[in-house]
Structures are given as structure tokens and as C-alpha cells.
Amino acid sequence: ERALSDAEIPAAWNVAEAIGYPFGPFVRLLLLTACRRGEIAGLRWSEIDLDQSTITIPSERYKTGRTLVVPLSRMTRQVIDDLPHFTEGDFVFSTTGGRRPISGFSKMMERFDAALAKHCKCEGVAPFDFDPHDLRRTVRTNMSALRLPPHIAEACLGHVVTGIQKHYDRWTYLDEKGEAFELWAGKVERLINPGSNVERLPRRRATR
């Protein structure tokens, strides 16, 4: 029931690097894309379009029963580019050569929490733990902090529009979501590399 603070985000990011594949980059993608745990755990390479820089979660795997398209920031692309490819199956996060997706999240979080506690002690950061869904809440909270319009932030999370807008607004907001995720990735990068003076520019709008 909370969002990670600006001090906690880099701690979680750095521990994810120390943990390594598969759970480390899995946590990083949750933080960068605001997707649900199951959506990224079951991610397939066939759902990633590197030419268009998108992840497409098909309707049968998405909570609302609709297809979700998630634009990839440059930082998210870097995480994906570093992932291993398997010859035995299509799953991105797998301990069975791609044949089956990762599972056993309770044990993985126990391992992550232990590493996080050790990291916090070494770095003098107040100890904390989190649930994977807290990362989704973290993204949404920070999009408000970044002054993004609420309907764009909600679209980034794939929330269904309600009321009269649901019937009349058929725009996908794909370009706007891309700009929002790029802004969010820029903040994450500034938090983990405070001396980098990173400034991210909006993505060029594509022709539909």
C-alpha cells in the first residue's frame, strides 16, 4: 500500500543488478514499465517488437481483457538488450531454457529482501522491503509528481477509461505514453546516477 521513495528506488535498482538474472532484470522491468507481476513474468520474446520499441501484452494475458501496448523507453531497451535468448522456448524470464516462465515469487522476494537489507546496512539507507505491486504504484505516483496529465498516467498503467470518455475517445495515446515512460526513465536514471545530469527529450511522434 505504498510507493518507493526517491532514496529507495536506487537501492532496489542496485540490488536488482546484484541479484542478476532472472529476478534482477525482472524487477527492473516492473519498475520501468508499470506492468503487473504476471504480465512481465509471462513475457515472451514474440511480444516484444524492438523495431517499434514496444511490448504488447495480448488480451488473454491482460487483466481487463484488452490488448495493452507498452512503449519502451531507451532505459527499458537497455535492460531488454542485456537479457539472454533461449533456443528451447519463447519466455523471456525462465529457468528452464525458455520453456516455462519464472515462478516461486515468494522465495525470490525473500532472497531479494535479504540482499536489500544487507545493501541498506552497507549504504546507511533506512531498511525497507516492498511488494512487486508497489513498483506499479511507484510509477503512477511519480508520473503525478512529474506533472503528467492523469489520463496519460492512467493509460500508461493500462487502466480502462470510464464514463462517457470510454465511448467517445478511441485514441490509443501511444505516443503520449512513450513520452511519459521516457520522462519516468529519466527520473530513475537521475536517481541512480545523480551526477550524470541526464536530460531526456520527448520521443518524436510517429505517423499512424
Side-chain angles (χ1 to χ4, degrees):
E1 294 295 329
R2 71 181 190 90
L4 272 64
S5 70
D6 285 0
E8 292 170 341
I9 289 171
W13 182 272
N14 291 330
V15 170
E17 180 178 13
I19 288 290
Y21 181 88
F23 201 58
F26 168 76
V27 167
R28 286 184 168 185
L29 278 192
L30 290 180
L31 180 63
L32 291 171
T33 65
C35 286
R36 295 177 179 87
R37 184 186 74 178
E39 293 158 8
I40 296 299
L43 186 64
R44 297 172 179 266
W45 283 108
S46 55
E47 296 170 350
I48 301 175
D49 188 332
L50 294 179
D51 292 331
Q52 296 297 319
S53 280
T54 59
I55 288 174
T56 300
I57 308 296
S59 57
E60 60 269 20
R61 286 212 309 113
Y62 194 62
K63 184 176 180 179
T64 64
R66 298 185 177 190
T67 299
L68 175 68
V69 180
V70 181
L72 305 179
S73 67
R74 283 172 282 182
M75 196 173 186
T76 308
R77 280 289 302 262
Q78 291 173 1
V79 174
I80 292 174
D81 288 344
D82 289 338
L83 294 173
H85 287 255
F86 302 107
T87 58
E88 299 179 41
D90 193 37
F91 287 105
V92 175
F93 294 103
S94 174
T95 57
T96 58
R99 297 189 303 276
R100 293 186 301 276
I102 56 172
S103 58
F105 297 105
S106 295
K107 290 184 178 180
M108 284 191 286
M109 278 307 300
E110 287 177 4
R111 180 186 172 205
F112 193 96
D113 288 343
L116 183 59
K118 182 177 180 181
H119 173 86
C120 289
K121 184 177 181 179
C122 292
E123 296 295 324
V125 177
F128 70 98
D129 55 19
F130 64 91
D131 181 273
H133 202 75
D134 292 338
L135 301 178
R136 181 171 166 87
R137 192 177 297 106
T138 299
V139 179
R140 180 62 181 86
T141 300
N142 276 274
M143 284 187 171
S144 290
L146 290 166
R147 304 294 191 269
L148 287 163
H151 67 288
I152 301 301
E154 289 294 291
C156 287
L157 268 66
H159 286 164
V160 176
V161 176
T162 59
I164 194 169
Q165 184 181 357
K166 176 181 178 180
H167 299 285
Y168 287 95
D169 189 355
R170 313 308 296 177
W171 189 246
T172 64
Y173 293 101
L174 184 61
D175 295 322
E176 293 85 351
K177 290 194 298 182
E179 293 169 4
F181 279 119
E182 202 67 64
L183 284 172
W184 164 234
K187 177 172 181 178
V188 173
E189 193 159 2
R190 288 191 296 274
L191 289 174
I192 63 176
N193 297 308
S196 63
N197 195 26
V198 176
E199 180 179 357
R200 290 196 172 274
L201 301 176
R203 291 154 52 117
R204 180 177 297 175
R205 293 187 179 275
T207 303
R208 281 185 173 79

